[in-house]
Amino acid sequence: MAKADGFFFEKMDNIISSVGKVQTQSFESKETLILESGDQLESLEIVFETYGNLNSERTNAILVCHALSGSHHSAGYYEDPDERKGWWDSLIGPGKAIDTNKYFIVSPNNLGGCHGTTGPTSIDPKTQEIYGPDFPMVTVSDWVNCQALLADHLGIKVWHSVIGGSLGGMQALNWSITYPDRIRKAVVIAAAPKLSAQNIAFNEVARQAIITDSDYQNGYYLKAGKSPKRGLRLARMVGHITYLSDEAMRDKFGRELKEDKLNFGYGAEFEVESYLRYQGDVFSENFDANTYLLMTKLLDYFDPADKSDGSLVKAFEPIKSQVLVVSFTSDWRFSPDRSKEISDALLEANKNVSYLEIESTHGHDSFLFSEDRYVRAIKAFLGSGQ
C-alpha cells in the first residue's frame, strides 16, 4: 500500500509541477519573407505554444528554440499527463529552471518543420500542390526572422531571454547578433559556433541514407503515396548514437543480450541494437524526410563568422545582451571546447558573458535533463539584473 501511495503522490507532484494541458496556436503572416538564399515565401504559418502569463509591460517573455528534431511542443501535455510530454518539460514549468510563475514562454515550430509550420509537407500556394523537395532552403537567420515576425504578432518588442540547446542554442546566438536591441539575455546550451567536418560528415551519412532509399522518389514520395522510412530510420539511428555518450550507453545497455544466448544471426541480439531500431521506427513514423534533409543542411550552413571575414569576434560586435554559455563534459557532438570558442570570442569582443561546464554522463542529450547545477544556473541567470 505504501508503494501505491508513493506512486500516487509522485504522479501528482509531476502534474502539479507541469504547465498542464496545453493547446497549439498558429499565426499566419501575409508578409513576403525574403530568405537568405534569395528565394521568398509570400505567406507562411507559424505553429507555436505558450506557457505562463505575459505581464502588462510585456517584459517577461522568453523564446524557447528547438533543436533539429524538436517541435513547438516543449512543455506540458495534450490529453494524458503520462503521454507525449513536451521535449523540455523537465525544465519548463512552475518553479522549474524556466519558471512559468515568472515568465511567459513562447515555443514555436520552425520554418521548414513538419509539425504545422510552413514546410515541405505544406501546400505551395503557387501550385496548390505539396512543396516536397521544392521547398526552399532555409537558414538559422531565416528562422530568427520568422520568430521576430511572431514576436511582433504577440506584441513582444524585447525578449527577456532567448534560450535553446544544440541547434536551439545557435538560434539564441543568432538572435543576439541579428536583433541586439530585442533581446536582453541569451542562453546558449550545448552548441558550437559552426559544425566541424566530423559533424558535417555525420549529417551527410544521414542524408544519403534517406536520398538513396528507393521510396524517396527524388523527394516526391508524398505524391507517390510512399515514405522513405528505411532511410529515415537509419538516419535517426546514426544521429541518436551521436547524442549519447559512451558512458551513458555502457550504463544503459552494456553488452546485455535480449536473450540469454547468442543466436548467431543479424537480428537485434544486443539491447542497444533493439533500442536503436525502436528509436528509428518511432521517428520514421512521425517525422518528414524532406524536413530532416533541410534541417541537417541548415545546421551545416550555420557559421556567423562567415559574414565577418571569418572572425567570430567581429561577428559578435553587435551583441548587447548578457550571454550564458553552457556545455556538458560528456558531450562529444558539441564538446565543451566548442562552447569555449563561443565564450572566448565573446570575452575578446568585450561582451557580458558567463560560461559554465556541467558534469554529466548523458552526452549531447544532457541539455534535456534537469540536473541540479544546470537548473540553478539557468534560474540565477534568468533572474539576475531584473
Side-chain angles (χ1 to χ4, degrees), residues 5 100 145 148 170 197 301 326-327 332:
D5 287 344
T100 51
N145 290 334
M170 295 174 182
Y301 286 158
V326 181
S327 68
W332 60 274

Side-chain angles (χ1 to χ4, degrees), residues 299-352:
L299 189 55
D300 292 350
Y301 286 158
F302 181 76
D303 181 8
D306 186 55
K307 299 175 183 177
S308 299
D309 302 320
S311 170
L312 200 57
V313 175
K314 187 175 179 181
F316 288 165
E317 284 179 359
I319 295 176
K320 297 180 180 179
S321 63
Q322 294 175 255
V323 183
L324 172 63
V325 180
V326 181
S327 68
F328 300 92
T329 54
S330 59
D331 183 356
W332 60 274
R333 180 98 199 232
F334 293 151
S335 70
D337 284 344
R338 306 310 310 280
S339 290
K340 289 173 185 174
E341 286 180 51
I342 296 172
S343 59
D344 287 348
L346 285 165
L347 281 172
E348 192 172 341
N350 295 313
K351 303 305 174 182
N352 187 337

Side-chain angles (χ1 to χ4, degrees), residues 3-15:
K3 271 192 175 181
D5 287 344
F7 173 76
F8 173 77
F9 286 117
E10 180 182 352
K11 185 174 180 181
M12 288 301 295
D13 285 343
N14 288 337
I15 295 172

Side-chain angles (χ1 to χ4, degrees), residues 64-373:
V64 167
C65 304
H66 69 71
L68 188 149
S69 60
S71 73
H72 54 284
H73 185 44
S74 58
Y77 53 87
Y78 292 135
E79 296 297 336
D80 186 344
D82 293 326
E83 293 182 5
R84 208 186 164 195
K85 284 186 179 178
W87 58 267
W88 229 7
D89 191 75
S90 62
L91 266 75
I92 300 173
K96 295 183 180 180
I98 307 171
D99 192 347
T100 51
N101 289 331
K102 295 181 178 180
Y103 306 110
F104 176 68
I105 289 82
V106 179
S107 179
N109 179 221
N110 286 326
L111 183 68
C114 55
H115 295 97
T117 293
T118 300
T121 60
S122 303
I123 300 296
D124 182 347
K126 292 181 180 178
T127 64
Q128 292 303 307
E129 294 185 351
I130 294 171
Y131 277 107
D134 298 323
F135 190 80
M137 189 64 68
V138 296
T139 65
V140 170
S141 292
D142 294 326
W143 278 1
V144 168
N145 290 334
C146 287
Q147 292 160 359
L149 290 176
L150 178 59
D152 292 340
H153 168 70
L154 296 172
I156 298 168
K157 293 182 179 179
V158 179
W159 294 107
H160 175 77
S161 178
V162 178
I163 180 171
S166 191
L167 182 51
M170 295 174 182
Q171 293 167 68
L173 196 59
N174 196 286
W175 255 100
S176 65
I177 296 169
T178 308
Y179 295 100
D181 294 316
R182 299 195 65 174
I183 171 176
R184 291 182 60 211
K185 302 180 182 189
V187 186
V188 181
I189 308 168
K194 62 182 177 182
L195 258 61
S196 65
Q198 183 188 52
N199 273 298
I200 293 172
F202 279 124
N203 286 345
E204 176 60 7
V205 170
R207 286 192 294 266
Q208 285 300 312
I210 293 170
I211 291 170
T212 57
D213 187 321
S214 60
D215 286 335
Y216 181 62
Q217 301 286 303
N218 293 318
Y220 296 101
Y221 47 86
L222 292 178
K223 285 185 180 180
K226 296 179 180 292
S227 176
K229 289 183 179 179
R230 176 181 175 277
L232 194 55
R233 180 174 180 259
L234 290 173
R236 183 57 174 177
M237 290 169 71
V238 169
H240 208 77
I241 291 169
T242 70
Y243 304 149
L244 302 174
S245 69
D246 179 54
E247 185 177 357
M249 294 185 82
R250 184 173 63 249
D251 291 344
K252 190 177 181 70
F253 308 109
R255 287 180 54 84
E256 293 298 317
L257 294 168
K258 290 183 65 181
E259 301 175 13
D260 292 331
K261 61 177 183 177
L262 294 174
N263 293 317
F264 299 99
Y266 296 109
E269 296 183 85
F270 292 91
E271 289 289 354
V272 67
E273 294 175 313
S274 179
Y275 171 78
L276 288 174
R277 292 186 186 195
Y278 171 77
Q279 292 293 331
D281 287 340
V282 171
F283 190 74
S284 68
E285 293 289 341
N286 296 291
F287 209 83
D288 176 62
N290 281 324
T291 291
Y292 197 85
L293 295 176
L294 187 75
M295 291 194 174
T296 55
K297 204 65 180 177
L298 171 148
L299 189 55
D300 292 350
Y301 286 158
F302 181 76
D303 181 8
D306 186 55
K307 299 175 183 177
S308 299
D309 302 320
S311 170
L312 200 57
V313 175
K314 187 175 179 181
F316 288 165
E317 284 179 359
I319 295 176
K320 297 180 180 179
S321 63
Q322 294 175 255
V323 183
L324 172 63
V325 180
V326 181
S327 68
F328 300 92
T329 54
S330 59
D331 183 356
W332 60 274
R333 180 98 199 232
F334 293 151
S335 70
D337 284 344
R338 306 310 310 280
S339 290
K340 289 173 185 174
E341 286 180 51
I342 296 172
S343 59
D344 287 348
L346 285 165
L347 281 172
E348 192 172 341
N350 295 313
K351 303 305 174 182
N352 187 337
V353 57
S354 302
Y355 173 72
L356 180 65
E357 185 176 313
I358 303 288
E359 287 280 345
S360 174
T361 62
H362 297 299
H364 187 58
D365 274 352
S366 294
F367 77 92
L368 299 172
F369 294 86
S370 57
E371 295 193 18
D372 182 61
R373 191 162 173 248

